[in-house]
Amino acid sequence: MSVVVNKTDIVQILEQLGIEPENYGASTGGKWFKTVGERIDSFSPVDGKLIATVYSATEADYQSVVSKAQEAFKEWRMIPAPKRGEVVRQLAERIRFYKEPLGKLVSYEMGKSLQEGLGEVQEMIDICDFAVGLSRQLYGLTMHSERPGHRMYEQYHPLGIVGIISAFNFPVAVWNWNTALAWVCGDVCIWKPSEKTPITAIACQQITREVFDANGVPEGVSNVVIGGAEIGKLMAEDTRIPLVSATGSTRMGKSVGAAVGARLGRSLLELGGNNAIIITQTADLKMVVPGAVFGAVGTAGQRCTSTRRLIIHDSIYDKVREALVKAYDQLKIGDPLDQSNHVGPLIDKDAVSAYLNAIEKAKAEGGKVLVEGGVLSGAGYESGCYVKPAIIEAENHFEIVQHETFAPILYIMKYSGELENAIRMQNGVPQGLSSAIMTNNLKEAEAFLSQAGSDCGIANVNIGTSGAEIGGAFGGEKETGGGRESGSDSWKIYMRRQTNTINYSDSLPLAQGIKFDF
């Protein structure tokens, strides 16, 4: 049955999280500023109802937040990294406590299924746990000097303020991917959440505030500034913010990257994907179908890792096509908080328009619709944001196929002959985020992962394109932006590297044997 069914339930969740959003717009970790910027109404795509109203921050509010963050950094960076890690450990425990209400709020405000909402909160917990261990492993290297009586090593220092611009589709996890690492590295953070999901951002700040206040963390280590593109522009152009981490569309990323690059700052860009699964002759259909279907329709196709294209060997094409159509017939579309449903709504009516336009463009280019799309109406679909997942036979070179549409549209196409033909098709798009191959042939799997294989930042064998564990670095190449978040050594972008040489001898030899006598 549906978990959240009326406004009263949401009010109770907001109260449990300590939220009275009408006064909110910016926060440095203490009380929220009463801002006088543009009104932002957060409507749920689940039922079209108003969740709450907030007001965007003004430029003056933004300047106040940056000033407070600068002050906090001077104190926070001097706290030993393991001590900072202990604070993050406690944050993970607090998020565990709030997992259910926060997961429900994510689902209700964004529209993803309850299981995915809870899973996103679990990602927050996981990255905090990862960061706690990392706080004792911010390693540098030692090197042998060519000069006698000298020692060389390198170390990492915190950067300062990290600006975070996040997207609506993962309204809490991506923020925490950045903050958990940045905080243990000694940085402070300023977050501009998507104006489409401000209430979940307020919830995260409230939870963080509880933990930070209990540990005496300086005000200004965790900051939130609610607003639209104007706030993002201020962050991108601000020389006081050495790193801007931006998640969203390629168009947005190009704008942010250009502004940050113009001042020689750093940007961490995690942008669009146009992800494909290659299905070879030896693929196990019992794995292909669920992997492809979840990748294509999970989060209503609104993941950057969503499966957009299936590239299927012609010898099994008909069999795979038939299995997919049959699976789509079984999909249930409706309230994402009802766990019997597979597909929830798109984020808003602009997304619905983009979805409809993409289908029409695919048809105009010669695409053949196998599973009809369309907008659902009537009882349970009052928000106007529910659409049918569609399957379209297409060619890889179609202009619409070359672009990412944030909606449940799956393009399927054939390849013939050798695997390299499929790899060429997969790589033949501007984006390079996630990729996968379904095969039981070891040679094909290794070829896909080789230098001549997938050009994406993520390449999987016998799993889909969607979903990633926090232990690995997350991000992609080409128009995906080249950034890496989350696990592995992604922490290094949040720090500045310093090489140190110590002379403990009684002479001053120069490198490369240079003589400078006088």
Side-chain angles (χ1 to χ4, degrees):
M1 61 180 292
S2 182
V3 177
V4 176
V5 294
N6 57 50
K7 184 70 174 180
T8 301
D9 294 324
I10 290 300
V11 169
Q12 289 175 349
I13 289 172
L14 298 182
E15 289 177 350
Q16 186 175 352
L17 293 168
I19 297 174
E20 298 174 358
E22 285 74 12
N23 295 329
Y24 296 171
S27 169
T28 55
K31 292 183 178 179
W32 287 80
F33 299 1
K34 291 188 177 181
T35 57
V36 294
E38 181 181 352
R39 172 176 172 150
I40 300 175
D41 292 325
S42 180
F43 291 95
S44 171
V46 174
D47 54 19
K49 294 179 181 178
L50 178 68
I51 302 173
T53 296
V54 299
Y55 291 87
S56 63
T58 64
E59 183 171 354
D61 296 326
Y62 169 81
Q63 298 298 341
S64 296
V65 169
V66 175
S67 295
K68 179 61 73 172
Q70 286 182 299
E71 294 174 17
F73 174 60
K74 295 175 184 177
E75 185 176 348
W76 182 243
R77 66 184 176 183
M78 300 308 295
I79 296 172
K83 298 294 185 183
R84 299 191 296 256
E86 168 58 17
V87 175
V88 173
R89 185 196 67 78
Q90 293 180 36
L91 178 60
E93 291 302 307
R94 204 62 187 154
I95 295 171
R96 284 184 173 93
F97 177 80
Y98 285 116
K99 180 176 178 178
E100 183 177 349
L102 183 56
K104 289 178 182 177
L105 183 59
V106 168
S107 297
Y108 189 65
E109 187 174 36
M110 185 268 147
K112 63 176 58 177
S113 72
L114 178 59
Q115 284 300 310
E116 291 181 89
L118 294 171
E120 184 172 347
V121 178
Q122 186 62 49
E123 278 195 69
M124 301 172 71
I125 296 166
D126 292 344
I127 195 63
C128 285
D129 288 348
F130 179 90
V132 173
L134 178 65
S135 68
R136 294 180 182 270
Q137 300 179 75
L138 301 174
Y139 297 136
L141 299 174
T142 59
M143 295 148 281
H144 289 278
S145 173
E146 67 183 57
R147 291 168 283 185
H150 286 59
R151 181 168 68 87
M152 293 178 65
Y153 70 97
E154 66 181 20
Q155 58 181 332
Y156 288 84
H157 296 299
L159 274 178
I161 301 175
V162 174
I164 302 166
I165 301 171
S166 64
F168 73 86
N169 60 329
F170 279 84
V172 297
V174 171
W175 164 75
N176 213 187
W177 282 5
N178 285 274
T179 53
L181 299 189
W183 284 332
V184 299
C185 289
D187 299 318
V188 301
C189 299
I190 299 176
W191 180 23
K192 190 205 87 64
S194 170
E195 60 271 34
K196 297 181 179 182
T197 51
I199 312 305
T200 47
I202 293 169
C204 289
Q205 181 73 343
Q206 293 294 88
I207 294 168
T208 303
R209 177 182 171 186
E210 288 183 31
V211 176
F212 281 21
D213 284 353
N215 285 273
V217 173
E219 183 179 344
V221 173
S222 177
N223 306 277
V224 176
V225 183
I226 293 173
E230 69 284 350
I231 298 296
K233 186 173 186 291
L234 288 171
M235 293 173 67
E237 295 176 351
D238 196 332
T239 57
R240 297 167 295 180
I241 301 180
L243 171 64
V244 176
S245 174
T247 302
S249 69
T250 296
R251 177 190 55 78
M252 178 277 293
K254 287 180 177 179
S255 175
V256 170
V260 175
R263 60 177 175 86
L264 299 182
R266 294 190 199 179
S267 57
L268 193 171
L269 303 177
E270 199 282 286
L271 311 175
N274 195 347
N275 316 295
I277 301 177
I278 296 173
I279 303 172
T280 75
Q281 305 99 307
T282 66
D284 184 344
L285 290 189
K286 295 193 301 293
M287 299 174 69
V288 166
V289 174
V293 174
F294 174 74
V297 308
T299 323
Q302 296 174 113
R303 293 186 176 211
C304 51
T305 56
S306 290
T307 304
R308 309 291 177 197
R309 299 173 294 143
L310 292 187
I311 302 169
I312 309 165
H313 194 272
D314 56 10
S315 66
I316 59 168
Y317 181 83
D318 291 343
K319 185 183 295 186
V320 173
R321 178 180 60 186
E322 181 182 347
L324 286 170
V325 171
K326 184 177 180 180
Y328 269 54
D329 284 343
Q330 300 173 55
L331 292 176
K332 295 179 181 178
I333 307 166
D335 183 349
L337 291 150
D338 181 340
Q339 297 188 64
S340 67
N341 290 324
H342 302 103
V343 184
L346 293 176
I347 184 65
D348 55 26
K349 291 183 180 179
D350 287 341
V352 173
S353 295
Y355 156 85
L356 293 173
N357 289 337
I359 292 175
E360 290 307 310
K361 287 180 180 179
K363 290 179 181 178
E365 291 191 72
K368 178 183 177 182
V369 177
L370 298 178
V371 177
E372 288 283 352
V375 182
L376 295 169
S377 60
Y381 305 123
E382 290 86 355
S383 70
C385 296
Y386 291 88
V387 302
K388 300 176 184 177
I391 300 177
I392 301 175
E393 286 185 312
E395 299 291 339
N396 202 54
H397 62 79
F398 286 0
E399 182 181 1
I400 190 61
V401 175
Q402 292 285 308
H403 295 282
E404 177 187 47
T405 302
F406 237 44
I409 302 173
L410 178 63
Y411 302 110
I412 67 172
M413 58 200 72
K414 297 178 183 179
Y415 81 94
S416 303
E418 301 301 318
L419 177 62
E420 64 183 27
N421 297 325
I423 292 174
R424 190 179 305 112
M425 291 172 65
Q426 182 214 271
N427 294 345
V429 293
Q431 309 83 1
L433 178 53
S434 188
S435 59
I437 187 172
M438 294 288 186
T439 180
N440 283 330
N441 184 306
L442 180 60
K443 289 183 178 180
E444 288 180 332
E446 291 295 338
F448 178 74
L449 301 176
S450 74
Q451 298 91 326
S454 170
D455 64 1
C456 295
I458 299 169
N460 299 326
V461 176
N462 289 331
I463 61 172
T465 63
S466 188
E469 299 179 29
I470 60 91
F474 183 89
E477 303 302 323
K478 301 189 294 187
E479 287 192 358
T480 302
R484 293 297 186 275
E485 296 175 304
S486 193
S488 185
D489 64 350
S490 299
W491 62 271
K492 291 182 178 179
I493 197 170
Y494 302 96
M495 307 195 82
R496 59 182 177 88
R497 186 191 304 230
Q498 184 181 82
T499 300
N500 307 115
T501 306
I502 300 169
N503 180 2
Y504 59 90
S505 73
D506 296 324
S507 60
L508 189 63
L510 300 177
Q512 293 83 47
I514 294 173
K515 300 297 183 182
F516 189 72
D517 299 323
F518 60 89

